[in-house]
Amino acid sequence: LHNMRTIQHLPREKQMQKATETMELYAPLAHRFGLFSIKSELEDLCFKVIDPNSYKFIARKLREKKEAREAFIEEFMDPIDEELGKQGFTFEMKGRPKHIYSIFRKMQRQQKPFEEIYDLFAIRIILEEPHTKEDCWRVYSIITDWYTPIPKRFRDFISVPKANGYQSLHTTVITKKGRKVEVQIRTRHMDDIAEKGVAAHWKYKEGKEGGSETLEKFVHWVRDVLDNPRPDAATEFVKDFQLNLYQDEIYVFTPDGELRTLPQGATPIDFAFDIHSEIGERAIAAKVNGKMAPLRQKLDIGDQVEIITGNKINLNPDWINDVVTHKAKSRIRQYIKQKERQKAEEGREIWEKRAKRANIEISEQDLTRIAQKLKFDSTQDLFYDIGKGSFDVNELYDVVKQFTSKGRIDDKEDEDKPAPVTEEEIQETYINAARSISDDKALVINGELTNVKYSYANCCNPIPGDDVMGFISRTGDVKVHRSNCKNIHHLIQTDGERIVDVSWAKNIDSKFLGAVKVIGEDRVGMINDITDVLSKSLETNMKSINVSSDSGMFEGILTVYVDDIDHLGRIINKLQKVGGVKSVFRYE
């Protein structure tokens, strides 16, 4: 958290590396630990680095609407405040906007502009001690007397807390004017745990509201999810770990009525491994709510699950695609690797018998070089293919025979590898290569105007004004991506030394592709009005238009040639004024 708060002191490419890593691992980790305030701050700080334009846009909109929002919150809270006071509740009530990144996620998920995201804030009612969870239900009753609740948006995390100990009642209500408002009701104890996470459990541990039991459950979960039997598979482990950190939860029951918490999308296989690794390994069938069900069937909230086991290990490697928990994935991968090792040992035995018959001896080091020449990553992979019969041992014999007779492998690409160099030296090499094939264009790299060959990534179509990063390819040219592009985030993790801080040179005399999504009424002449605005009013050329309509509404994606982000903004503003158009926004 401190690194992210002081990140402005790092070079831009280092900022991107740290922000991407934090967004992918540490923010979800804080979420799972129940550290909501830290998780929210980490996400916003990362978002500010990764996509500064979107961050500034939402922050500005929130500031502009601040007075209207505060007036609405006060009007909403007044009758509740009065009624709770009458009934003798001691409480704190506050309304605050959701954090910037969560608003952005909602805009992306719902494909709506900022103006159409209505639940931008949540009202929180915190009951002071000695109020208990029963009082939370009384408060819920008072609120729903005043405002109409939306049944589908009700969540009871008091009766069934989250795995990290989080407890609260969540409901979304509709005001008389049709505005949706999310309301959270909790005690001060619950609020401490929601904001401070597991650390707050210690405060309540001794003899208060079962804090010790909650903490023990959580510590058990952490130990379980961090168990990594294969340290070599770090990338897979992190990917699974992320899934477990952010997924929504469902609650299912054992045949004895014991409640178990699993990630959404879990199957009876996940349930079996959650009970015990041995049960997962020996599972042959499942009963869900008393009826036989496939082991791969997704479970629903409230399902009662019984696992039927056999006497021997029944793991199926194909299950890897059906499970969502880290524990199940990890054990199945371990089993797959174990089977691969056994098959590779069989392949090695086949080779050793063949070599013995021909009286050939070769060192492991030379065998590794031969495996690589045959396009295998290692001798293990080579022997695995021989063991399962997909590679002929005689083909290996022919290459080894050629090697032992000549003392070398005939491969033009096989050269001595250069000595390791520093990240800075690698980057300078790439930049020099880029300069050597320069064209008439100019790109600002690391603050300096440099003649290099560069192009714009098709995956994100950056346009002047977007925050951008560069990736230097092995041929030396620079590929420019938007900083919020998923592909550049992957490249930061895998080839960080090739990432360079780039910015737009002034007076760029080119046109750029931008995409706009338009939603509106499906009326006669709508397409004509839209194209008129583009061609006549803005003198903008359109590359393509894709339109679909349903039940009197249409959605159109327009691809247009623009000068920069301001030009795209003017297009969006003009299109919003066309009759019948409901919303217009940049299409990612």
Side-chain angles (χ1 to χ4, degrees), residues 429-439 450-453 475-476:
T429 303
Y430 292 143
I431 292 174
N432 286 337
R435 287 188 184 117
S436 70
I437 56 168
S438 66
D439 55 17
T450 314
N451 282 330
V452 297
K453 186 173 182 180
T475 56

Side-chain angles (χ1 to χ4, degrees), residues 183-195:
V183 182
Q184 300 169 356
I185 308 161
R186 58 181 72 154
T187 63
R188 179 62 67 186
H189 164 211
M190 295 171 190
D191 190 60
D192 275 353
I193 290 169
E195 293 296 318

Side-chain angles (χ1 to χ4, degrees), residues 12 443-446 468-470 478 480-481 500-504:
R12 174 72 180 143
L443 189 69
V444 179
I445 296 182
N446 295 335
V468 288
M469 296 297 294
V478 177
V480 180
H481 292 258
V500 287
D501 179 21
V502 301
S503 56
W504 300 96

Side-chain angles (χ1 to χ4, degrees), residues 251-264:
Y251 307 102
V252 295
F253 297 91
T254 67
D256 298 332
E258 182 194 346
L259 185 144
R260 312 290 291 202
T261 305
L262 293 171
Q264 196 166 31

Side-chain angles (χ1 to χ4, degrees), residues 27-40:
L29 195 59
H31 169 82
R32 196 59 185 206
F33 282 176
L35 301 165
F36 181 77
S37 55
I38 289 178
K39 171 243 186 189
S40 303

Side-chain angles (χ1 to χ4, degrees), residues 14 37 66 124 176 249 258 292 323 339 434 443 507:
K14 296 290 184 189
S37 55
K66 188 178 180 185
R124 186 171 299 160
K176 303 286 188 291
E249 295 167 338
E258 182 194 346
M292 295 300 291
V323 296
K339 286 290 181 189
L443 189 69
N507 305 319

Side-chain angles (χ1 to χ4, degrees), residues 9 26 30 52 57 68 125 131 140 158 179 193 208 275 292 295 299 324 347 365 375 395 398-400 463 499:
H9 302 296
Y26 296 107
F57 170 79
I125 299 170
H131 287 303
Y140 172 77
I158 289 181
R179 291 282 298 272
I193 290 169
K208 285 192 181 182
I275 300 294
M292 295 300 291
L295 283 170
L299 297 172
V324 293
Q365 186 179 359
K375 309 297 182 194
E395 194 174 333
D398 291 341
V399 179
V400 170
I463 59 178
I499 301 294

